[in-house]
Amino acid sequence: AAPGSPAAPGINRLEGVVRGTVFVGDRLEIVVETGAGRVTVEAPSGGATAGEGEAVALLWRPEDTLVFPRPAP
């Protein structure tokens, strides 16, 4: 979704900037800096993705959310 465009009701949304992309076999791991911190997004390799420094909007269903604890210092 384009930054600034509304999300459908019940859909999570974060806006941010792409900070890097790593190719990991059949998928890409895309790091996005958001107001909530850094988020890593997985996407199929071979698809169109935003480049480093580009503004993006992340949208996903609540049931697709995975949260991992920070490692202890």
Side-chain angles (χ1 to χ4, degrees), residues 61-72:
R61 299 177 312 173
E63 61 269 24
D64 293 329
T65 302
L66 298 174
V67 178
F68 301 95
R70 287 184 191 229

Side-chain angles (χ1 to χ4, degrees), residues 1-69:
S5 62
I11 299 295
N12 290 324
R13 178 189 176 84
L14 278 175
E15 291 193 11
V17 176
V18 174
R19 294 299 179 207
T21 302
V22 177
F23 176 74
V24 187
D26 62 345
R27 63 181 160 64
L28 298 172
E29 290 185 354
I30 305 162
V31 177
V32 179
E33 188 72 43
T34 74
R38 285 194 173 210
V39 175
T40 301
V41 177
E42 290 187 3
S45 61
T49 61
E52 192 166 340
E54 287 188 58
V56 295
L58 309 175
L59 293 95
W60 70 100
R61 299 177 312 173
E63 61 269 24
D64 293 329
T65 302
L66 298 174
V67 178
F68 301 95

